[in-house]
């Protein structure tokens, strides 16, 4: 009798362990490349409702963004109702979302898109709506019922909350709810999540919020919003922490929100080089053809989505011009020349200067001294004025002379010549 009891308990434990592992595996297979999508915050802040989100869903399909890889449609702050329901479940703001979140999720899914939502580890969100503190399991369950695929989890009103504990708690709550949901951690890099969160979230913000400033931070009173270049500088030392399923997140894109075309192009290119999540933040219903061309550039996106998932390294810099390299699959490399100056710069790219090994992450070498690469110019149609106009495919056998406009970028994909 005792034996049977022991056997049954053992079997029960094994079953629990097995289902736990199966669940963990389900979540660890998500975000194998940096997530791509759209989020409401950068453009619309709290001014969101069901009509707007549905129009975005339509536009994501009609403008070819879904085909280009942008699959998540993410609601940020302020979708919440003022109170929980009688059973303490979180509700949508009934005025702004009269059909409810389940119906909205169904609409988003019917378009072939995935549905993202936002909450906060504290008692209130940054926009003053209801946070998840003390309701983590219930909120995760509600999201699963609504068909949520992506959760951005913010960090306002978290005095006395421990970040490792809070994010692990919501991860476990999501797992328990049983629906695979990408967990996007948004605690602004305060507790160095890159050091502890690779098994907790699929991506973590590395800095405070981005704003519509290309170069220079902007004070917001009690906090500081960051410029594109300032965020970029803060990513340089973090590359070893990123990889498939766990990404550094330098915040959502400001492309199409008011930068110059050159700035949009270099901001987008650098986020691609960084293997950053590509979460658009502009009004995709009304964007210009130039913006659309930038955010759907298939070569730039392929650099971002390369399955090896290695973040670019800053090789060198000279008078405000930076040289970045990102190892890609099949012994290829992406290379970018970023001009941080406001005026144009003439550059000579002598490949022999860039023989190096990425000792820190991929251990791969460029070997320009022994190997010749064919050069594909990612932005060839738009911005490059090279001084040689040979019809032959350019290779790394010869240096490249080019002009890079102020705040603009050159971006190349190098493929070993057969
Ligand atoms: C924080 C986040 C932003 C955005 C707002 C919403 O500031 O970092 O990305 O989600 O909250 O209130």
């Amino acid at each position: 009798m005792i034996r049977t009891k022991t056997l049954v308990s053992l079997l029960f434990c094994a079953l629990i362990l097995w289902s736990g592992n199966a669940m963990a595996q389900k979540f660890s297979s998500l975000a194998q490349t940096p997530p791509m999508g759209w989020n409401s915050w950068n453009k619309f802040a709290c001014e969101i409702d069901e009509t707007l989100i549905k129009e975005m869903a339509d536009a994501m399909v009609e403008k070819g963004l879904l085909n280009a890889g942008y699959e998540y449609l993410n609601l940020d702050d302020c979708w919440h109702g003022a109170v929980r329901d009688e059973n303490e479940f979180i509700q949508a703001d009934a005025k702004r979302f009269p059909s409810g979140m389940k119906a909205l999720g169904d609409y988003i899914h019917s378009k072939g898109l995935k549905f993202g939502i936002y909450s906060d580890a504290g008692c209130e969100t940054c926009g003053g709506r209801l946070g998840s503190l003390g309701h983590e399991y219930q909120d995760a369950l509600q999201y699963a019922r609504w068909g949520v695929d992506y959760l951005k989890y913010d960090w306002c009103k978290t005095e006395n909350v421990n970040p490792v504990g809070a994010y692990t708690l919501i991860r476990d709550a999501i797992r328990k709810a049983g629906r695979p949901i990408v967990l996007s951690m948004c605690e602004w890099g305060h507790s160095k999540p890159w050091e502890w969160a690779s098994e907790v979230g699929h991506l973590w913000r590395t800095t405070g919020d981005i704003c519509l400033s290309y170069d220079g931070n902007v004070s917001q009173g009690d906090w500081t919003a960051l410029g594109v270049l300032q965020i970029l500088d803060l990513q340089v030392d973090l590359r070893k922490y990123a990889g498939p399923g766990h990404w550094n997140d330098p915040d959502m894109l400001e492309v199409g929100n008011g930068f110059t075309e050159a700035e949009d192009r270099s901001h987008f290119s650098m986020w691609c080089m960084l293997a950053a999540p590509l979460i658009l933040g502009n009004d995709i219903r009304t964007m210009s053809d130039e913006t659309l061309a930038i955010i759907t550039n298939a070569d730039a996106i392929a650099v971002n989505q390369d399955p090896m998932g290695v973040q670019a390294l800053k090789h060198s810099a000279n008078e405000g011009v930076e040289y970045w390299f990102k190892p890609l699959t099949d012994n290829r490399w992406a290379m970018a020349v970023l001009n941080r100056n406001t005026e144009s710069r003439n550059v000579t790219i002598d490949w022999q200067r860039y023989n190096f090994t990425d000792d820190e992450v991929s251990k791969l070498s460029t070997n320009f001294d022994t190997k010749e690469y064919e050069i594909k110019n990612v932005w060839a149609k738009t911005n490059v004025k090279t001084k040689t106009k040979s019809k032959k495919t350019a290779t790394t056998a010869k240096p490249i002379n080019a002009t890079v406009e102020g705040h603009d970028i050159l971006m190349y994909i190098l493929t070993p010549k057969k």
Side-chain angles (χ1 to χ4, degrees):
M1 186 58 190
I2 291 181
R3 270 223 189 132
T4 321
K5 264 193 180 164
T6 318
L7 203 64
V8 168
S9 327
L10 276 174
L11 275 173
F12 186 66
C13 289
L15 190 70
I16 286 183
L17 275 176
W18 173 82
S19 65
N21 274 343
M23 204 54 90
Q25 262 169 18
K26 220 168 163 184
F27 289 86
S28 65
S29 67
L30 297 173
Q32 288 303 293
T33 58
M36 291 175 67
W38 179 88
N39 172 295
S40 53
W41 184 255
N42 282 358
K43 180 72 189 173
F44 298 99
C46 276
E47 292 310 310
I48 57 171
D49 59 31
E50 169 176 308
T51 309
L52 178 95
I53 299 300
K54 283 178 159 178
E55 286 177 8
M56 290 304 159
D58 297 346
M60 282 181 83
V61 177
E62 281 157 20
K63 307 263 170 152
L65 296 176
L66 175 60
N67 275 345
Y70 298 93
E71 57 176 344
Y72 292 101
L73 199 174
N74 298 347
L75 278 66
D76 207 280
D77 207 346
C78 303
W79 58 266
H80 322 66
V83 288
R84 291 173 177 271
D85 75 5
E86 64 277 14
N87 296 314
E88 293 287 301
F89 280 102
I90 191 85
Q91 297 301 299
D93 177 332
K95 280 217 184 81
R96 288 177 181 265
F97 296 91
S99 313
M101 285 293 151
K102 172 76 173 75
L104 187 61
D106 288 348
Y107 187 83
I108 290 169
H109 289 141
S110 77
K111 296 271 158 180
L113 294 159
K114 292 182 174 154
F115 177 26
I117 215 165
Y118 161 101
S119 188
D120 189 290
C123 49
E124 266 181 24
T125 71
C126 300
R129 305 309 199 269
L130 294 169
S132 287
L133 186 65
H135 290 90
E136 293 83 359
Y137 275 75
Q138 228 180 345
D139 285 359
L141 189 60
Q142 184 78 312
Y143 304 150
R145 287 175 180 161
W146 288 342
V148 165
D149 305 295
Y150 186 112
L151 172 66
K152 173 174 167 183
Y153 205 56
D154 213 340
W155 195 242
C156 276
K157 296 279 165 129
T158 50
E159 294 77 20
N160 305 319
V161 181
N162 173 287
V164 182
Y167 282 99
T168 308
L169 182 63
I170 195 68
R171 178 205 64 184
D172 292 346
I174 292 169
R175 282 188 182 170
K176 187 76 183 161
R179 184 175 169 88
I181 293 180
V182 169
L183 178 56
S184 158
M185 301 172 39
C186 181
E187 64 73 80
W188 316 310
H190 289 180
S191 70
K192 300 190 177 164
W194 44 88
E195 287 182 352
W196 54 265
S198 73
E199 297 296 318
V200 179
H202 299 95
L203 56 153
W204 49 79
R205 281 276 296 279
T206 53
T207 69
D209 287 8
I210 196 168
C211 65
L212 198 58
S213 162
Y214 186 80
D215 186 5
N217 295 339
V218 181
S219 169
Q220 310 284 324
D222 54 353
W223 64 283
T224 301
L226 307 180
V228 167
L229 294 181
Q230 285 61 45
I231 290 184
L232 177 64
D233 292 340
L234 294 167
Q235 311 311 308
V236 176
D237 295 331
L238 302 182
R239 58 187 298 264
K240 67 168 181 264
Y241 300 105
H246 50 99
W247 307 101
N248 289 316
D249 176 6
D251 207 356
M252 304 172 292
L253 293 157
E254 288 281 14
V255 176
N257 279 341
F259 288 145
T260 66
E261 194 182 336
E263 289 168 345
D264 273 348
R265 181 166 39 239
S266 58
H267 169 29
F268 187 73
S269 300
M270 285 314 303
W271 263 231
C272 289
M273 292 291 286
L274 292 173
L278 295 181
I279 307 295
L280 303 166
N282 61 316
D283 189 343
I284 55 179
R285 299 166 305 177
T286 56
M287 68 186 151
S288 68
D289 292 346
E290 288 77 21
T291 299
L292 181 62
I294 289 172
I295 62 178
T296 55
N297 182 305
D299 292 321
I301 291 175
V303 168
N304 176 267
Q305 294 289 301
D306 186 77
M308 208 156 68
V310 179
Q311 182 173 324
L313 61 92
K314 185 161 116 185
H315 176 280
S316 47
N318 183 21
E319 293 181 0
V321 180
E322 295 182 352
Y323 299 82
W324 291 75
F325 284 84
K326 179 184 197 290
L328 305 176
T329 45
D330 302 326
N331 297 310
R332 296 169 308 134
W333 290 82
M335 194 255 191
V337 182
L338 171 70
N339 181 8
R340 298 171 70 119
N341 303 290
T342 47
E343 320 82 40
S344 68
R345 288 280 186 275
N346 296 325
V347 294
T348 299
I349 306 168
D350 180 352
W351 300 98
Q352 299 314 318
R353 270 192 239 146
Y354 303 107
N355 282 309
F356 73 94
T357 301
D358 169 17
D359 291 318
E360 197 189 15
V361 182
S362 70
K363 317 289 177 215
L364 294 167
S365 306
T366 52
N367 292 327
F368 289 121
D369 48 348
T370 54
K371 236 181 186 171
E372 191 177 347
Y373 294 80
E374 291 188 342
I375 303 174
K376 183 162 195 196
N377 188 341
V378 171
W379 301 111
K381 284 195 210 127
T382 44
N383 74 332
V384 172
K385 292 175 205 150
T386 47
K387 286 182 184 151
T388 42
K389 284 218 176 95
S390 154
K391 290 242 166 60
K392 276 199 263 158
T393 315
T395 79
T396 51
K398 281 194 197 145
I400 289 182
N401 292 309
T403 305
V404 200
E405 298 301 330
H407 288 180
D408 209 339
I409 197 161
L410 307 177
M411 189 171 171
Y412 301 115
I413 296 172
L414 313 175
T415 306
K417 196 173 169 186
K418 296 228 173 72

